[in-house]
Amino acid sequence: EEWHNQWNEWKVEQFQQLQLDDINDELQKYNRQIGGMRKQLEKKGVWTALKADVDKFRKTVPLLTHLRNNAMRPRHWEQLMDEVDEKFDPWGNDFTLNKVDKLNLNKFPEFIENLSNSATQEQAIERSIAKVKTAWDTTTFKIEPYRKEYYKIISTDEITQLLEDQLATMSNMKVSRYV
Protein backbone atom coordinates (compact mmCIF):
# COMPACT_ATOMS: atom_id res chain seq x y z
CA GLU A 1 0.00 0.00 0.00
CA GLU A 2 2.87 2.36 0.80
CA TRP A 3 4.25 1.87 -2.72
CA HIS A 4 0.89 2.60 -4.34
CA ASN A 5 0.42 5.76 -2.25
CA GLN A 6 3.87 6.99 -3.22
CA TRP A 7 3.28 6.15 -6.89
CA ASN A 8 -0.07 8.00 -6.80
CA GLU A 9 1.74 11.11 -5.50
CA TRP A 10 4.51 10.96 -8.09
CA LYS A 11 2.29 10.35 -11.09
CA VAL A 12 0.33 13.59 -10.63
CA GLU A 13 3.22 15.86 -9.65
CA GLN A 14 4.29 18.35 -12.32
CA PHE A 15 7.10 16.64 -14.25
CA GLN A 16 9.66 19.43 -14.00
CA GLN A 17 9.19 19.48 -10.21
CA LEU A 18 9.93 15.78 -9.69
CA GLN A 19 12.99 15.13 -7.56
CA LEU A 20 14.53 12.24 -9.48
CA ASP A 21 17.29 11.59 -6.94
CA ASP A 22 14.69 11.23 -4.18
CA ILE A 23 12.57 8.99 -6.42
CA ASN A 24 15.56 6.80 -7.17
CA ASP A 25 16.36 6.50 -3.46
CA GLU A 26 12.75 5.57 -2.70
CA LEU A 27 12.75 2.97 -5.48
CA GLN A 28 15.85 1.34 -4.05
CA LYS A 29 14.23 1.31 -0.62
CA TYR A 30 11.05 -0.29 -1.98
CA ASN A 31 13.05 -2.81 -3.95
CA ARG A 32 14.88 -3.90 -0.78
CA GLN A 33 11.62 -4.05 1.20
CA ILE A 34 9.89 -6.08 -1.48
CA GLY A 35 12.82 -8.47 -1.67
CA GLY A 36 12.70 -8.96 2.10
CA MET A 37 8.95 -9.57 2.10
CA ARG A 38 8.90 -12.08 -0.75
CA LYS A 39 7.75 -15.11 1.22
CA GLN A 40 5.13 -13.16 3.13
CA LEU A 41 3.70 -11.46 0.02
CA GLU A 42 3.90 -14.52 -2.26
CA LYS A 43 1.41 -16.28 -0.01
CA LYS A 44 -1.03 -13.44 -0.63
CA GLY A 45 -0.29 -13.51 -4.35
CA VAL A 46 0.75 -9.86 -4.58
CA TRP A 47 4.53 -10.09 -4.56
CA THR A 48 4.93 -10.70 -8.31
CA ALA A 49 2.64 -7.82 -9.28
CA LEU A 50 4.22 -5.43 -6.79
CA LYS A 51 7.75 -6.37 -7.86
CA ALA A 52 6.76 -5.93 -11.52
CA ASP A 53 5.30 -2.46 -10.81
CA VAL A 54 8.43 -1.29 -9.00
CA ASP A 55 10.76 -2.80 -11.62
CA LYS A 56 8.78 -1.26 -14.48
CA PHE A 57 9.03 2.17 -12.91
CA ARG A 58 12.71 1.68 -12.03
CA LYS A 59 13.45 0.96 -15.69
CA THR A 60 11.76 4.26 -16.57
CA VAL A 61 14.02 6.39 -14.35
CA PRO A 62 16.86 6.71 -16.93
CA LEU A 63 14.28 7.89 -19.46
CA LEU A 64 12.98 10.45 -16.96
CA THR A 65 16.54 11.60 -16.30
CA HIS A 66 17.07 12.21 -20.00
CA LEU A 67 13.77 14.07 -20.24
CA ARG A 68 14.75 16.24 -17.27
CA ASN A 69 18.10 17.16 -18.82
CA ASN A 70 18.54 20.91 -18.24
CA ALA A 71 20.14 21.20 -21.67
CA MET A 72 16.84 20.31 -23.36
CA ARG A 73 15.60 23.39 -25.20
CA PRO A 74 12.19 23.96 -26.79
CA ARG A 75 13.61 22.78 -30.13
CA HIS A 76 14.44 19.40 -28.56
CA TRP A 77 10.96 19.07 -27.12
CA GLU A 78 9.55 19.91 -30.58
CA GLN A 79 11.63 17.09 -32.05
CA LEU A 80 10.27 14.72 -29.42
CA MET A 81 6.70 15.82 -30.13
CA ASP A 82 7.28 15.21 -33.83
CA GLU A 83 8.69 11.75 -33.10
CA VAL A 84 5.75 10.69 -30.88
CA ASP A 85 3.25 12.56 -33.08
CA GLU A 86 1.69 14.31 -30.07
CA LYS A 87 1.75 17.89 -28.87
CA PHE A 88 2.27 18.63 -25.17
CA ASP A 89 3.72 21.32 -22.94
CA PRO A 90 6.67 19.86 -21.00
CA TRP A 91 6.48 22.77 -18.53
CA GLY A 92 2.71 22.71 -18.14
CA ASN A 93 0.99 21.62 -14.95
CA ASP A 94 -0.64 18.75 -16.83
CA PHE A 95 2.72 17.28 -17.87
CA THR A 96 3.10 14.59 -15.21
CA LEU A 97 4.32 11.00 -15.01
CA ASN A 98 0.77 10.05 -15.95
CA LYS A 99 1.14 12.10 -19.12
CA VAL A 100 4.56 10.59 -19.85
CA ASP A 101 2.97 7.16 -19.50
CA LYS A 102 -0.04 8.05 -21.69
CA LEU A 103 2.27 9.42 -24.38
CA ASN A 104 4.11 6.09 -24.31
CA LEU A 105 7.43 7.86 -24.16
CA ASN A 106 8.94 4.65 -22.80
CA LYS A 107 8.64 3.30 -26.36
CA PHE A 108 11.23 5.85 -27.53
CA PRO A 109 14.16 5.34 -25.15
CA GLU A 110 16.92 5.49 -27.79
CA PHE A 111 15.45 8.56 -29.45
CA ILE A 112 15.11 10.34 -26.10
CA GLU A 113 18.61 9.35 -25.00
CA ASN A 114 20.09 10.59 -28.29
CA LEU A 115 18.06 13.79 -28.06
CA SER A 116 19.27 14.38 -24.50
CA ASN A 117 22.88 13.69 -25.45
CA SER A 118 22.59 16.05 -28.42
CA ALA A 119 21.14 18.72 -26.16
CA THR A 120 24.08 18.31 -23.77
CA GLN A 121 26.61 18.57 -26.60
CA GLU A 122 24.86 21.60 -28.07
CA GLN A 123 24.85 23.26 -24.66
CA ALA A 124 28.60 22.64 -24.36
CA ILE A 125 29.10 24.35 -27.71
CA GLU A 126 26.90 27.27 -26.65
CA ARG A 127 28.98 27.66 -23.49
CA SER A 128 32.21 27.56 -25.48
CA ILE A 129 30.90 30.27 -27.79
CA ALA A 130 29.92 32.36 -24.77
CA LYS A 131 33.46 31.96 -23.38
CA VAL A 132 34.92 33.08 -26.70
CA LYS A 133 32.66 36.13 -26.69
CA THR A 134 33.52 36.96 -23.09
CA ALA A 135 37.23 36.60 -23.80
CA TRP A 136 37.03 39.13 -26.61
CA ASP A 137 34.66 41.42 -24.73
CA THR A 138 37.12 41.66 -21.87
CA THR A 139 40.25 41.98 -23.97
CA THR A 140 41.76 45.42 -23.95
CA PHE A 141 43.68 46.59 -26.98
CA LYS A 142 46.48 48.94 -26.12
CA ILE A 143 46.97 51.49 -28.86
CA GLU A 144 49.30 54.37 -29.43
CA PRO A 145 49.57 57.05 -32.05
CA TYR A 146 51.42 56.16 -35.19
CA ARG A 147 52.39 58.79 -37.74
CA LYS A 148 50.12 61.66 -36.84
CA GLU A 149 46.98 60.24 -38.56
CA TYR A 150 47.04 56.58 -37.50
CA TYR A 151 47.08 54.35 -34.46
CA LYS A 152 48.71 51.00 -33.92
CA ILE A 153 48.13 48.15 -31.49
CA ILE A 154 51.03 47.61 -29.17
CA SER A 155 51.81 44.44 -27.25
CA THR A 156 50.12 41.95 -29.59
CA ASP A 157 51.53 38.79 -28.02
CA GLU A 158 48.56 38.27 -25.69
CA ILE A 159 46.09 39.05 -28.47
CA THR A 160 47.84 36.65 -30.85
CA GLN A 161 47.76 33.90 -28.20
CA LEU A 162 44.06 34.54 -27.51
CA LEU A 163 43.29 34.48 -31.23
CA GLU A 164 45.12 31.17 -31.69
CA ASP A 165 43.32 29.65 -28.70
CA GLN A 166 39.93 30.82 -29.95
CA LEU A 167 40.62 29.55 -33.48
CA ALA A 168 41.45 26.12 -32.06
CA THR A 169 38.23 26.17 -30.02
CA MET A 170 36.19 27.17 -33.07
CA SER A 171 37.87 24.52 -35.23
CA ASN A 172 36.92 21.85 -32.70
CA MET A 173 33.34 23.08 -32.70
CA LYS A 174 33.21 23.18 -36.49
CA VAL A 175 33.88 19.44 -36.81
CA SER A 176 31.24 18.53 -34.22
CA ARG A 177 28.06 16.99 -35.55
CA TYR A 178 26.12 19.03 -32.99
CA VAL A 179 26.80 22.41 -34.61
Side-chain angles (χ1 to χ4, degrees), residues 7-16 18 57 60 63-64 67 77 80-81 84-108 112:
W7 168 243
N8 287 331
E9 272 183 47
W10 287 335
K11 70 181 183 179
V12 296
E13 189 174 341
Q14 201 277 339
F15 185 75
Q16 300 297 336
L18 289 172
F57 186 57
T60 306
L63 177 83
L64 302 177
L67 288 171
W77 288 102
L80 179 57
M81 287 181 237
V84 300
D85 200 27
E86 289 278 346
K87 295 291 181 198
F88 54 89
D89 178 5
W91 295 278
N93 288 334
D94 66 332
F95 193 66
T96 61
L97 285 178
N98 258 352
K99 182 79 168 187
V100 168
D101 192 43
K102 286 179 184 170
L103 290 167
N104 291 315
L105 295 183
N106 60 335
K107 292 184 179 178
F108 303 91
I112 292 170

Side-chain angles (χ1 to χ4, degrees), residues 22-144:
D22 293 344
I23 288 173
N24 211 20
D25 291 345
E26 287 294 312
L27 282 171
Q28 289 176 4
K29 179 184 93 173
Y30 287 123
N31 206 37
R32 283 191 304 274
Q33 286 177 349
I34 290 168
M37 298 172 17
R38 182 176 187 162
K39 288 182 182 177
Q40 180 184 359
L41 294 175
E42 271 184 332
K43 292 176 185 174
K44 297 179 182 179
V46 294
W47 186 83
T48 305
L50 184 58
K51 177 96 170 110
D53 281 352
V54 172
D55 286 346
K56 178 184 173 193
F57 186 57
R58 204 175 72 218
K59 289 176 185 174
T60 306
V61 171
L63 177 83
L64 302 177
T65 302
H66 288 302
L67 288 171
R68 284 287 304 280
N69 183 345
N70 290 332
M72 294 273 284
R73 303 283 188 260
R75 67 180 176 268
H76 301 111
W77 288 102
E78 286 292 328
Q79 290 173 6
L80 179 57
M81 287 181 237
D82 289 345
E83 181 70 16
V84 300
D85 200 27
E86 289 278 346
K87 295 291 181 198
F88 54 89
D89 178 5
W91 295 278
N93 288 334
D94 66 332
F95 193 66
T96 61
L97 285 178
N98 258 352
K99 182 79 168 187
V100 168
D101 192 43
K102 286 179 184 170
L103 290 167
N104 291 315
L105 295 183
N106 60 335
K107 292 184 179 178
F108 303 91
E110 282 184 43
F111 181 84
I112 292 170
E113 181 178 359
N114 290 336
L115 192 64
S116 175
N117 291 339
S118 292
T120 299
Q121 295 301 320
E122 291 168 15
Q123 184 181 54
I125 290 170
E126 291 167 2
R127 287 180 177 161
S128 291
I129 290 171
K131 285 180 184 177
V132 167
K133 183 180 180 329
T134 300
W136 286 107
D137 286 347
T138 59
T139 299
T140 305
F141 293 87
K142 296 175 186 164
I143 58 173
E144 66 181 23

